Amino acid sequence: MSKIQVSQPHSVSIDEAKAKVQGFEEMVKKYGVSSSWSGNQAKLKGTGVTGSISVQPKSVDVELKLGLLAKAAGVKPDLLKASIEKRLKAAFEGESA
């Protein structure tokens, strides 16, 4: 099982950060991964993948665990991590640091 962890710093409110994460959520939905929010945390679940999104006061933290089905489907953890980092960075680009 592969584990992916990405942390994206931010300087916006928690509500603004949650709104910015919606683009990332749309991306993972394309791959059959659903999210369910409870407060500032979302659980992610799909075929061969589980994980979470946690919106903190100064960062958004994403953790994914890829199971055997994801590996069998050809999901490459390093490419997935790079894609997540790119999308989160794009979502928070333009904010004043």
Side-chain angles (χ1 to χ4, degrees), residues 9 24 27 29 38 44 52 58 75 95:
F24 171 73
M27 188 256 318
K29 280 183 187 174
S38 176
L44 303 173
S52 64
K58 299 287 181 192
V75 175
E95 68 170 277

Side-chain angles (χ1 to χ4, degrees), residues 1-76:
M1 182 177 289
S2 297
K3 189 174 181 180
I4 297 171
Q5 292 181 300
V6 175
S7 184
Q8 173 64 46
H10 70 80
S11 59
V12 297
S13 72
I14 287 180
D15 287 339
E16 286 178 88
K18 283 173 70 172
K20 290 177 180 278
V21 169
Q22 287 178 342
F24 171 73
E25 286 183 273
E26 291 302 316
M27 188 256 318
V28 298
K29 280 183 187 174
K30 292 179 188 175
Y31 299 99
V33 177
S34 63
S35 58
S36 60
W37 284 90
S38 176
N40 297 330
Q41 305 245 343
K43 290 186 180 183
L44 303 173
K45 187 166 180 148
T47 302
V49 62
T50 58
S52 64
I53 301 171
S54 179
V55 179
Q56 304 294 325
K58 299 287 181 192
S59 69
V60 172
D61 303 318
V62 177
E63 182 177 300
L64 293 176
K65 293 177 185 170
L66 303 177
L68 294 176
L69 286 175
K71 189 174 183 178
V75 175
K76 294 185 166 77

Side-chain angles (χ1 to χ4, degrees), residues 4-6 8 24 27 64 76-90:
I4 297 171
Q5 292 181 300
V6 175
Q8 173 64 46
F24 171 73
M27 188 256 318
L64 293 176
K76 294 185 166 77
D78 54 337
L79 294 179
L80 180 58
K81 181 177 182 177
S83 177
I84 293 168
E85 288 172 337
K86 180 180 176 181
R87 290 179 185 275
L88 287 178
K89 184 176 180 182

